[in-house]
Amino acid sequence: MGISYADAVQLVEREAHQQRGAYSTKTEICSLYNACDRNVFEAIYSPISTPRYDTSAMDGFALNSLATQTASPENPVTFEVIATTTAGDTPHQQSSNLEDGILPCVEIMTGAPFPVGQGSDHFDCCVPIEEVVMSENEVTKKRYISFAKPARRQQHRRLAGGDFTKRDKILGKRECIQPQHIMALASVGVTEVRVLRKLRVAVFSTGCEVLSPETPDRRHDFMIHDANGPYLTTMLKRWGAEVDFRGLIRDSEEEVENAVLKALDEKQYDVIVTSGAVSAGRCDMIPASINRIGGREVFHKVAVKPGHPIFFSMLPRRTDGETAFFGLPGNPVAAAACLRFFVLRYLSALQGLEQERSAVAKLQPSSDAPPHRELGSVQNSVLQCRKEADIFRPAIMTPCGKQVSVIADHSPGKTRPFLHANCWVHISRGVSEVREGELVSVHHC
């Protein structure tokens, strides 16, 4: 059946590590608006502390909490409003000296800085506007507030550096930028980031039976629509790659060789992916064709289900390094499994990313279709598997993430059962059955 999955993964990562040096130095500056799902070159640290000043968490009045400790509805404390500060204003710097025996306060809006300078320590809290009674002297136009309960020191006050402090890490080296990182980076004034160049991937579909836009109309009834090309392209783009779908290769050794060599000449791809023509039939010419044009075969066939005919080779470039070549099986779900558990592994290792760790969930019976016993089925609350291979099964994880059910109809040539899958279940080689309620390894789609 081929080498073990564990050995195959080790070989995939070894080849990626050998190519990483040439790839990892190729970076570009990216606007924050376009940085999501890109991998940063180096760790990013906050260049400033935020907020820079103590700021208000409420619309209200900055005042001295100690002066309110005897306040009550029967005996409210009165303050004079000496200034108004809004978010973005320069902090107020007037002293806190008494005027006419009345303590000062500063009207302060949400996000506005607390007063600074001489006497600023007297403005140690904010009381919400909803909790004061406001008044105005008609002659002097001075404004006053009355407050009728004790305030706490530092209440509704955001301290300087209470969010980020200077040199706080925001992103680790090679980490993938997510929307929440964008928010954090923008909040500390970062507008551009240095990211790794996007991986460049070429995708081909193969087979005379595959329907493509250039296929003559008279043959449509006897052909099948290409599901692999669009799916593989979409998933690779979702993983952050720059992907070119380069069309269909007919079942011809010459066409395979010409198409792959042309791709290598036109663009320095990091990976080339094909689907179909990798098994042992008369039309399965991918391995021999790649070997003929100088490919260095790493492995052909792995003890996995589905996807055991997978082919992996390294193609020489005209410049530095090599381009990885993955020949995936033609059945759509088999191609999807190999893309997920081999190609993604190579892409992650090439970028120096931390390999994902599987989750675990309790197996529950599937109810989507009658069981199929060839590769494994849930029957009488037991998932039966072939011991000689690692099994990858499309599955449905519950919203809580604690239970998972495999897709019962798991034929690798059917796309309908795969429609609602949101994860994969991995059953390791040597396991013959898993019972309901036992823990299984789960990977996101």
Side-chain angles (χ1 to χ4, degrees), residues 62-72 75-80 96 98 101-105 121-125 127 145-153:
L63 49 76
N64 182 249
S65 62
L66 187 60
T68 69
Q69 297 311 299
T70 61
S72 67
N75 186 31
V77 179
T78 299
F79 296 84
E80 180 185 347
S96 61
L98 289 168
I102 301 177
L103 284 167
C105 70
D121 56 323
H122 290 279
F123 301 97
D124 65 359
C125 73
V127 296
I145 64 166
S146 295
F147 190 59
K149 66 179 183 180
R152 300 186 316 277
R153 177 177 168 79

Side-chain angles (χ1 to χ4, degrees), residues 38-45 168-177 181 185 194 196 352-353:
R38 301 296 299 271
N39 296 103
V40 294
F41 176 60
E42 296 287 359
I44 299 179
Y45 301 87
D168 275 350
K169 182 186 285 188
I170 298 177
L171 277 157
K173 183 178 180 179
R174 303 293 196 270
E175 192 171 352
C176 184
I177 301 172
H181 297 133
L185 292 168
R194 181 172 291 278
L196 293 174
L353 307 182

